[in-house]
């Protein structure tokens, strides 16, 4: 039984994002359910295939982060207007990709064709004849992300560009929701949105499991008090980090040591005497294990917070906003939730001073993670069984 996954970019071998982790969770679950999975996409510039076998097929290399792309954004913008595609979709448009998909579909029979980050590669949909086998993974309600950017834009040109992007993405998301056999959302809120689209196919919520594996080595020393980790280059994450330092930080004792990891928060360098920004963390599990408490200050965005899932899975004390907990129900007792800045700070301090049993938290985390993973595997198995029967 074969599954074909089409994605904008193959999982990074060097600097994994939440999108990479999400895709890998689906891939692993499909494999554990007995499917052979082939994933097609672009490689990031300077990277090679994750492993030299038939599981991954590259259709070329591309810049994933705009700030590293030099003059390519001008080419992508031109392509966007010429083909009337969202900019974030036009950047991946490729005749070579189309040719490879046509070739694979002519040579193989697949139980399902899964479009990951579907709005970015929706231009592939017309070349897939068996529409009844298409599954769209909607990691966010992306049109809402860009609609929020319209509000934050500081000039007319930026407002117009973000407004155009939001409208085109909305049209793309709605079209795929109608033509796909199923749309897999990551939260109830996102599923509700897609279900409200007239003519929508079946909508399911797929609750991602924690993805960092075993609990961290208990011998790892706690080297700082508060840890924050994320891809801050993504605006919703960056907004949450700025909210933390504007609203929560003033209530925290200045004796505390705070570490921030992840790309896109260079603005923190030298801003606060007790804050160190270390950039990309090569091992997220080690970084989290070195923290006495993890702060997750999300205030906007869509989809599910991978860092929240992984922090819970590692049994680490967490203070999070309600927004950071979207798509995550019945968290363990070591997870504290508030959107009040002062209470957020107080809970962080309490978490640092907590004497909660490590073994107790570890058992809670293990039980919670196991149950969530089994539900995820079951839901994917049931979805694909339904698709195969029709």
């Amino acid at each position: 039984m074969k599954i074909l996954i089409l994605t904008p970019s193959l999982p990074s071998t060097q600097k994994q994002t939440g999108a990479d982790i999400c895709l890998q969770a689906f891939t692993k679950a499909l494999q554990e359910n007995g499917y052979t999975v082939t994933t097609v996409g672009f490689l990031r510039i300077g990277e090679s295939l994750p492993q030299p076998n038939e599981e991954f097929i590259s259709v070329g290399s591309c810049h994933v982060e705009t700030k590293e792309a030099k003059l390519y954004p001008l080419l992508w913008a031109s392509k966007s207007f010429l083909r009337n595609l969202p900019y974030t979709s036009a950047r991946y448009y490729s005749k070579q990709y189309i040719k490879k998909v046509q070739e694979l579909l002519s040579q193989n029979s697949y139980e399902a064709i899964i479009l990951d980050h579907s709005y970015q590669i929706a231009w592939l949909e017309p070349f897939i004849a068996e529409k009844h086998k298409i599954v769209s993974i909607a990691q966010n309600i992306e049109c809402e992300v860009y609609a929020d950017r319209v509000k934050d834009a500081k000039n007319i040109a930026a407002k117009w560009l973000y407004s155009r992007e939001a409208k085109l993405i909305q049209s793309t998301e709605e079209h795929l929701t109608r033509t796909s056999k199923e749309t897999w959302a990551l939260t109830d809120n996102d599923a509700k949105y897609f279900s409200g689209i007239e003519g929508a196919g079946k909508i399911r919520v797929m609750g991602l499991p924690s993805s960092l594996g075993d609990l961290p080595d208990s011998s790892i020393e706690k080297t700082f008090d508060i840890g924050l980790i994320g891809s801050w280059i993504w605006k919703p994450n960056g907004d949450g980090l700025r909210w933390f330092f504007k609203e929560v930080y003033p209530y925290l004792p200045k004796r505390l040591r705070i570490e921030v990891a992840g790309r896109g928060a260079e603005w923190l360098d030298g801003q606060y005497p007790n804050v160190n920004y270390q950039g990309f963390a090569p091992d997220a599990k080690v970084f989290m294990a070195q923290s006495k408490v993890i702060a997750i200050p999300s205030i906007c965005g869509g989809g599910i917070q991978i860092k929240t899932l992984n922090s819970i899975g590692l049994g680490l004390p967490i203070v999070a906003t309600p927004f950071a907990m979207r798509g995550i129900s019945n968290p363990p007792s070591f997870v504290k939730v508030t959107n009040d800045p002062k209470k957020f700070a107080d809970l962080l301090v309490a978490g640092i001073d907590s004497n909660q049993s490590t073994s107790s938290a570890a058992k809670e985390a293990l039980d919670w993670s196991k149950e969530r993973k089994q539900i995820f595997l079951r839901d994917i198995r049931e979805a694909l069984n339904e698709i195969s029967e029709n």
Side-chain angles (χ1 to χ4, degrees):
M1 299 185 293
K2 296 181 179 180
I3 300 290
L4 180 64
I5 297 180
L6 308 177
T7 185
S9 57
L10 296 172
S12 174
T13 56
Q14 299 174 16
K15 296 183 178 181
Q16 287 204 330
T17 65
D20 293 333
I21 293 169
C22 175
L23 175 57
Q24 289 173 324
F26 277 104
T27 302
K28 187 174 181 181
L30 290 165
Q31 291 170 334
E32 289 189 31
N33 272 311
Y35 291 92
T36 298
V37 182
T38 299
T39 304
V40 184
F42 287 97
L43 285 169
R44 289 167 169 82
I45 296 292
E47 294 197 10
S48 55
L49 285 173
Q51 45 188 307
N53 57 36
E54 294 181 356
E55 288 185 24
F56 298 96
I57 297 175
S58 167
V59 289
S61 297
C62 72
H63 291 282
V64 174
E65 283 78 31
T66 298
K67 71 174 187 176
E68 299 173 357
K70 299 180 181 179
L71 296 177
Y72 276 95
L74 295 175
L75 174 63
W76 299 333
S78 299
K79 196 182 292 185
S80 169
F81 283 98
L82 286 171
R83 297 190 175 276
N84 197 36
L85 293 171
Y87 171 85
T88 46
S89 176
R91 64 186 300 175
Y92 295 108
Y93 183 89
S94 162
K95 291 182 179 179
Q96 183 176 343
Y97 202 150
I98 293 170
K99 183 179 179 181
K100 176 54 68 175
V101 169
Q102 291 176 316
E103 177 186 312
L104 289 169
L105 293 177
S106 68
Q107 296 175 352
N108 300 278
S109 177
Y110 297 99
E111 299 294 311
I113 299 127
I114 298 176
L115 306 184
D116 173 52
H117 264 80
S118 51
Y119 79 98
Q120 290 186 316
I121 53 172
W123 40 267
L124 285 169
E125 182 262 347
F127 302 97
I128 301 172
E130 296 180 289
K131 309 292 186 195
H132 63 284
K133 292 185 177 182
I134 296 178
V135 174
S136 294
I137 297 179
Q139 293 197 19
N140 301 289
I141 306 173
E142 203 68 26
C143 64
E144 291 186 352
V145 174
Y146 281 90
D148 286 339
R149 291 194 180 188
V150 175
K151 302 172 189 174
D152 297 335
K154 305 200 184 304
N155 59 67
I156 294 175
K159 284 182 181 292
W160 184 84
L161 287 169
Y162 283 133
S163 178
R164 175 184 184 271
E165 192 74 358
K167 289 175 182 177
L168 287 173
I169 290 175
Q170 181 178 3
S171 176
T172 301
E173 288 178 325
E174 290 180 355
H175 174 75
L176 278 176
T177 304
R178 295 187 188 100
T179 58
S180 297
K181 178 69 174 179
E182 297 197 358
T183 296
W184 293 352
L186 305 186
T187 68
D188 290 330
N189 178 69
D190 290 4
K192 183 179 179 181
Y193 169 83
F194 290 109
S195 296
I197 295 172
E198 185 178 354
K202 185 156 189 171
I203 311 297
R204 294 181 192 261
V205 179
M206 295 294 187
L208 289 180
S210 176
S211 62
L212 289 184
D214 298 332
L215 295 169
D217 186 342
S218 58
S219 66
I220 296 176
E221 183 183 358
K222 300 292 184 183
T223 56
F224 46 90
D225 297 299
I226 300 171
L228 298 100
I229 186 170
S231 180
W232 312 115
I233 199 169
W234 192 49
K235 189 177 182 299
N237 284 352
D239 288 346
L241 187 64
R242 291 180 186 277
W243 175 83
F244 176 85
F245 281 100
K246 180 181 178 182
E247 304 292 343
V248 178
Y249 178 81
Y251 293 110
L252 292 169
K254 298 305 178 279
R255 61 178 170 80
L256 300 181
R257 182 180 171 190
I258 301 173
E259 289 276 327
V260 180
R263 291 172 291 168
E266 289 78 9
W267 57 272
L268 274 175
D269 281 332
Q271 290 296 309
Y272 305 93
N274 61 331
V275 176
N276 178 56
Y277 172 58
Q278 60 174 261
F280 177 76
D283 192 324
K285 184 189 291 188
V286 170
F287 174 85
M288 292 179 181
Q290 290 172 331
S291 311
K292 292 180 181 177
V293 62
I294 298 290
I296 311 178
S298 301
I299 59 171
C300 61
I304 199 166
Q305 290 274 273
I306 301 296
K307 56 191 171 185
T308 307
L309 285 172
N310 289 342
S311 298
I312 296 174
L314 295 178
L316 301 170
I318 298 164
V319 180
T321 59
F323 204 90
M325 298 301 294
R326 60 192 186 275
I328 301 173
S329 58
N330 304 315
S333 63
F334 53 81
V335 180
K336 309 301 180 184
V337 183
T338 182
N339 58 9
D340 178 80
K342 186 177 187 308
K343 188 175 180 182
F344 199 108
D346 292 343
L347 287 171
L348 286 172
V349 173
I352 293 167
D353 299 333
S354 172
N355 292 317
Q356 181 179 17
S357 166
T358 302
S359 60
S360 172
K363 184 180 185 308
E364 270 197 272
L366 190 60
D367 291 345
W368 184 88
S369 296
K370 280 184 176 179
E371 181 181 8
R372 191 171 177 95
K373 180 180 178 181
Q374 289 307 310
I375 292 172
F376 185 60
L377 289 171
R378 180 204 67 197
D379 289 347
I380 285 181
R381 181 168 58 251
E382 290 179 356
L384 290 174
N385 284 343
E386 282 191 27
I387 292 171
S388 297
E389 290 169 2
N390 295 328

